[in-house]
Amino acid sequence: MSGVSLSAAVRSNLRSLQSASELMGQTEQRLSTGKKVNSALDNPSSFFTAQALDRRASDLNNMLDSVSNSVQTLKAADNGITAINDVIESLKATARSAVQSPQAVTTKASISSTAIDNLSETNLLGGTATNATVAGSALNNDNTGTAAAITANTKLSGTAGTTSDNLASGLTAGEKITVNGTEIEFVASGATGNQVNITDDVGDLLAKIDSITGAGTASTVATGRLTLSTGTTSDLTIGGSSSTLTKLGLTAGTTARGAPTGGLSGQTLSVQDRDGNTKTVTFSSSGIDTLDELNKFFSDNNVDLEASVSVDTATKKGTLTLTTSNAAANKTPVDLEGSATASGAAFAAKTFSAPVVSGAGKDTRDNYRKDFNDALKQISSLAKDASYNGVNLLNGDDLSIVFNEDGSSKLDVKGVDFDAASLGITELSADDFYDSNSINKIIDKLDKAAATLEQTSSKFGSQLQIVQTRQTFTKNMVGTLQDGAGALTDADTNEEAANLATLQTKQSLIVSSLAISTSQEQSILSLLR
């Protein structure tokens, strides 16, 4: 009031009391709110800076919910992949059980050659050898008038004269030669068995040699040369004393028979391997000429055929049969090609018979196929059910995960289609389990599907790790922002409590001082009374 006059002391105490009251109010507000900056009036710089920090912390905190959902979406996809992989392992087990079960094919596809002379497991060339000949040196007789080339009538030994026709170097009793390991002995007379009289002629000796070799083509004498036939049953081997052989114009050695005819020698047979590539068998002494070599060729070249030979002991004719292996038991191979299939050849106009599927083995494998197809349906069901909050990464949905408030930092997760068809696994048809080749192809598809699952799981795992790392980072960042905002605006309650206690003491002292300052006026009032 302007009409009231206060002493300087009172006015001073009043001002101090007002100041203390203001400070106490401020301190009490800080203690009640926990902040030393409650409005822009308290500290504009700190207030607005803290507000910006709190706002960003709030934005990031809100985004953590979305990131958490993304983590669960990735985990749901991983759960689906794990379950699908378990189904695939179950499908593999079913397929392997089918392989180990009894054969469904009771009669496999096969093809047989015509009967071939002399064909056997150790001689696939077969056929009948042809006769060959070997000629000796030219010889003259012992005619003292005019020596002439020897003939079949020339004697093996005799006395030379103007009319004689004996070997120029006659044979003597006791001399020997060998033909194919059989010894021929020359005797003076009375020859028996494999003996030859030295008084016999060259024709008689040739007849004896042919009886040993079994030659169907007779050995002859031409232009003074002995021409021996090998025959067709074995090669011709001549041996014995070199001096005796020289008298006959012969030398020790072996002459091979001519190439066989009517067999597989020199012929080819083209077959296909399991990938459809052509493989050609060449039958020859330097190529393939035994059953073991032929089966090794099939094995080394992934040809699903097995060769066998049956021989008629009475006729000595053999038949070569090619049969599909167990691996391709339900397959009918493509027709054979090559010169062995030409007109008149061993496999001319021959085709593979069809396999026969029947019996308990067929029923067992049909049951395995049904189990396989039933389990296969679970793959698509699992992929469809692996969703979280409406997002399914295994059903083609994509996921975009934003990590900061302005959307400049994010991770795009590409979804996949993991139904059975997309993984390359289709429902089995009626005969897919009837031979091991078909089953192994199915197992290969399952292995590829498992590899795809593993690759995708690894990719999702890496992306999940990134998301979880960013989730932890964001949580820490929110804490850092909140700590920064608090450092600017939060009150030190210990300090403010101490301030309040100090102000309360100060206020009490001011009130006491004010009472002292007004005591003089009170004394004057008492005098007036």
Side-chain angles (χ1 to χ4, degrees), residues 199-440:
T199 57
D200 291 341
D201 55 35
V202 170
D204 294 327
L205 173 60
L206 295 180
K208 177 61 68 178
I209 292 175
D210 288 344
S211 69
I212 294 173
T213 61
T217 302
S219 298
T220 60
V221 180
T223 64
R225 301 171 184 269
L226 272 64
T227 301
L228 306 182
S229 292
T230 61
T232 60
T233 58
S234 64
D235 296 336
L236 173 64
T237 301
I238 298 296
S241 168
S242 58
S243 60
T244 302
L245 292 174
T246 299
K247 291 177 182 180
L248 296 170
L250 301 175
T251 56
T254 298
T255 301
R257 290 166 292 169
T261 59
L264 292 172
S265 180
Q267 295 189 12
T268 61
L269 201 61
S270 295
V271 295
Q272 286 192 358
D273 64 14
R274 64 188 55 160
D275 296 321
N277 301 311
T278 299
K279 304 294 180 180
T280 300
V281 179
T282 300
F283 294 99
S284 68
S285 57
S286 60
I288 292 175
D289 60 358
T290 69
L291 185 65
D292 287 343
E293 289 176 347
L294 180 57
N295 280 323
K296 184 177 186 300
F297 176 88
F298 289 156
S299 176
D300 291 345
N301 289 278
N302 296 320
V303 177
D304 292 318
L305 292 173
E306 295 173 349
S308 61
V309 170
S310 59
V311 178
D312 185 333
T313 55
T315 63
K316 294 184 180 180
K317 291 178 178 289
T319 301
L320 175 62
T321 299
L322 306 181
T323 306
T324 54
S325 63
N326 286 341
N330 192 44
K331 179 181 178 182
T332 302
V334 298
D335 289 338
L336 301 175
E337 295 181 351
S339 59
T341 66
S343 177
F347 287 95
K350 300 286 185 176
T351 58
F352 278 96
S353 62
V356 177
V357 181
S358 62
K362 173 184 179 300
D363 295 338
T364 299
R365 295 201 176 195
D366 282 342
N367 288 333
Y368 278 125
R369 176 176 57 82
K370 182 179 181 300
D371 293 341
F372 185 99
N373 288 338
D374 288 343
L376 181 64
K377 298 174 184 176
Q378 292 302 314
I379 292 180
S380 298
S381 296
L382 287 167
K384 184 178 179 181
D385 293 339
S387 65
Y388 182 84
N389 199 26
V391 179
N392 190 340
L393 293 175
L394 302 187
N395 201 33
D397 294 343
D398 296 332
L399 178 64
S400 183
I401 309 170
V402 179
F403 296 124
N404 62 3
E405 65 276 19
D406 62 3
S408 60
S409 177
K410 64 179 182 177
L411 175 66
D412 291 324
V413 180
K414 186 71 175 175
V416 294
D417 287 315
F418 268 1
D419 57 8
S422 298
L423 287 171
I425 313 169
T426 56
E427 189 171 290
L428 302 185
S429 60
D431 58 355
D432 280 338
F433 265 11
Y434 288 163
D435 61 46
S436 56
N437 268 359
S438 299
I439 297 175
N440 286 332

